[in-house]
Amino acid sequence: MPNDDPSRPYGQRQGQAAAKIVNVALQGGGAHGAFAWGVLDYLLEDGRLDICGISGASAGAVNAVVLAHGVSVGGREGGRAALADFWRKVGEPGSYIGPHPFQQPLPLGYFSEVTPAFVLFDMLTRFWSPYQLNPLNINPLRSILEATVDFERLRTCPRTNLFLTATNVRSGKVHVFGTKEVSADVVMASACLPQVFQAVEIDGEAYWDGGFMGNPALFPLIYDSPSQDVIIVHVNPLVRPDVPRTALEIENRMNEISFNSSLISEMRAIAFVTRLIDQGRMPEGMMKRMLLHSIAADDVMQMLSAVSKMNTSWDFLTQLRDIGRERAARWLEDSFGRIGEESSTDIRSFL
C-alpha cells in the first residue's frame, strides 16, 4: 500500500525513517475477517510498513478493496477510516456476512452451541440450492461494499496492487483478478459461498468463493510485486490440538483443512525453492527468494466454530479487531527487524 503521498516512491516518508515495503495476504473467513481488520488497522497506525501488494480471498478480498480504496483517498488514516466504516456497517442490526440471516450476539468463546434458527437454515441449504431459496440473489454485502468503495477510482489508482482470487466453477481453477479488473462483482465472486449464493457471472464465466483454490493466493505476489516479504494474516487455524468429536466440530475442521490446503501447498513450494537457493542448487537470480511472515491468533480461533463466522454483532467484531491489533503489535515488536532479511515464519516446517 502506498504512502500518504501517492507521488512518493515506496518506502520514502517525508521527515521520517524509511518504511519497509511488504505484501499482505489476507485469508477469508466471514465475520472472522474482523481479526484482519484489526491487524491492518494497527499496521497502518504504526506506519513503519508500506503495503505494496495485497492478495485476498473472500473476506480477505473485501478487506483488501476497502483498505486500498481508503488509502487511495486519504492515506493511512483514510485506510483505517474506510475499514472502520465498512465493519461498522456490517455490525449494524440487519446486516450479515454469509448465510446466517439471524444475527445473534454470540460470545467470543462460543463454540458448540447452535441456535434453532441456524439449524433450520443449515437444513434448508442441504436440500435446496440458493437458486431456489434466494431466487432474487439478494446479498446485503453488495450494498455495503458499493456504499463504501469507489471502484472506478480504485481501478485507476496507479499505486495499488490488488490480487483477488475466485474459483472458476466450470474449470475448477483459481482465477486472480488484478487491480484494473476489480469491481463489486469481482469481490462478490471471491466471497460467493455456493451453498448460499448463486454463482457470480463475470464475462461469461461463473465463479465461487476464492478460498477453495487460493486462500489467499501467494503466487501473484511472487511474480508481480517489488517486495519479497509477505505477511500472511491467518483467519483459519492451521492446527487444532484435539480430534473433533461432534458433527459440528467435524464439519468445522473439514472446512478449515479445505480452506487452508491451497495456502499450505504454496508455502511448501516456497520452502522447497528456498532450500534449493540456500543449498546453491538454484542459479542465482533464477527464482525469487520469498520471506514469509505470519500474524495469527490460533488460540482464539480454535475456540470459535463455523457458526461464529456469521456472527456480525458489533461487540463480537470489535473483540476480534482488538485481538488483531494486539497480535499485530506483538508481531511487529518481535519481527520488524527481520523484514527484508529473513522469514519470521519457520517455512522449513512446511517441507
Side-chain angles (χ1 to χ4, degrees):
M1 225 1 107
N3 305 285
D4 286 359
D5 179 359
S7 65
R8 191 179 301 142
Y10 286 121
Q12 293 185 12
R13 297 186 298 161
Q14 189 172 5
Q16 302 180 52
K20 293 186 177 183
I21 306 170
V22 299
N23 301 294
V24 174
L26 304 174
Q27 277 199 318
H32 292 184
F35 170 78
W37 164 31
V39 170
L40 295 169
D41 184 69
Y42 188 86
L43 296 182
L44 290 171
E45 181 185 274
D46 179 85
R48 286 180 288 170
L49 301 178
D50 271 349
I51 304 173
C52 63
I54 309 177
S55 178
S58 200
V62 173
N63 275 324
V65 298
V66 172
L67 171 63
H69 161 77
V71 172
S72 73
V73 172
R76 298 178 189 277
E77 288 305 310
R80 297 182 65 201
L83 284 166
D85 179 53
F86 170 80
W87 284 101
R88 189 175 295 109
K89 288 184 172 70
V90 170
E92 291 175 352
S95 300
Y96 66 94
I97 294 179
H100 190 8
F102 309 100
Q103 187 178 29
Q104 302 290 336
L106 306 176
L108 184 61
Y110 175 84
F111 179 75
S112 59
E113 297 181 17
V114 294
T115 65
F118 177 80
V119 172
L120 174 61
F121 194 82
D122 184 59
M123 290 180 61
L124 289 175
T125 59
R126 293 177 187 274
F127 290 97
W128 288 279
S129 80
Y131 297 87
Q132 298 166 306
L133 288 174
N134 187 8
L136 298 180
N137 204 24
I138 297 171
N139 189 337
L141 178 59
R142 177 183 289 274
S143 60
I144 296 175
L145 271 174
E146 292 176 341
T148 307
V149 177
D150 183 343
F151 285 98
E152 183 175 357
R153 177 191 179 100
L154 187 58
R155 286 191 294 271
T156 60
C157 179
R159 296 295 303 277
T160 302
N161 283 319
L162 289 174
F163 308 98
L164 309 184
T165 59
T167 302
N168 187 300
V169 177
R170 295 184 178 90
S171 71
K173 296 179 180 179
V174 64
H175 185 99
V176 179
F177 293 92
T179 306
K180 294 182 179 180
E181 302 171 285
V182 171
S183 65
D185 281 342
V186 166
V187 181
M188 299 307 297
S190 184
C192 178
L193 293 172
Q195 302 93 332
V196 182
F197 301 114
Q198 299 176 24
V200 178
E201 298 276 345
I202 300 175
D203 295 332
E205 291 291 345
Y207 295 98
W208 282 340
D209 196 296
F212 291 115
M213 296 304 295
N215 193 20
L218 300 184
F219 68 88
L221 301 174
I222 298 173
Y223 298 116
D224 297 310
S225 172
S227 174
Q228 64 184 145
D229 289 89
V230 180
I231 302 171
I232 304 169
V233 182
H234 298 269
V235 171
N236 303 295
L238 291 171
V239 177
R240 281 189 180 270
D242 300 318
V243 176
R245 302 292 183 182
T246 69
L248 181 64
E249 291 171 348
I250 291 170
E251 184 171 4
N252 183 52
R253 187 56 182 155
M254 288 170 58
N255 287 336
E256 288 173 348
I257 292 172
S258 297
F259 279 86
N260 277 324
S261 61
S262 60
L263 176 63
I264 291 174
S265 295
E266 287 197 90
M267 294 177 76
R268 284 176 59 89
I270 291 172
F272 178 71
V273 170
T274 300
R275 184 171 68 176
L276 293 180
I277 294 173
D278 290 341
Q279 294 174 346
R281 298 167 62 186
M282 181 76 68
E284 185 174 354
M286 182 177 179
M287 298 293 288
K288 182 178 180 180
R289 179 189 292 273
M290 298 301 296
L291 307 178
L292 298 185
H293 315 275
S294 296
I295 301 178
D298 279 10
D299 56 321
V300 173
M301 297 304 177
Q302 287 168 4
M303 296 190 299
L304 305 178
S305 74
V307 178
S308 65
K309 293 180 179 180
M310 299 95 173
N311 177 14
T312 58
S313 69
W314 183 241
D315 286 346
F316 181 72
L317 297 177
T318 53
Q319 285 182 77
L320 288 178
R321 176 203 62 193
D322 293 344
I323 293 169
R325 284 180 53 84
E326 183 270 329
R327 296 304 165 94
R330 183 190 303 180
W331 176 80
L332 271 174
E333 181 179 355
D334 294 340
S335 303
F336 179 76
R338 303 172 75 175
I339 299 173
E341 302 295 332
E342 61 181 356
S343 294
S344 59
T345 293
D346 183 10
I347 60 176
R348 293 172 300 178
S349 64
F350 292 94
L351 288 173

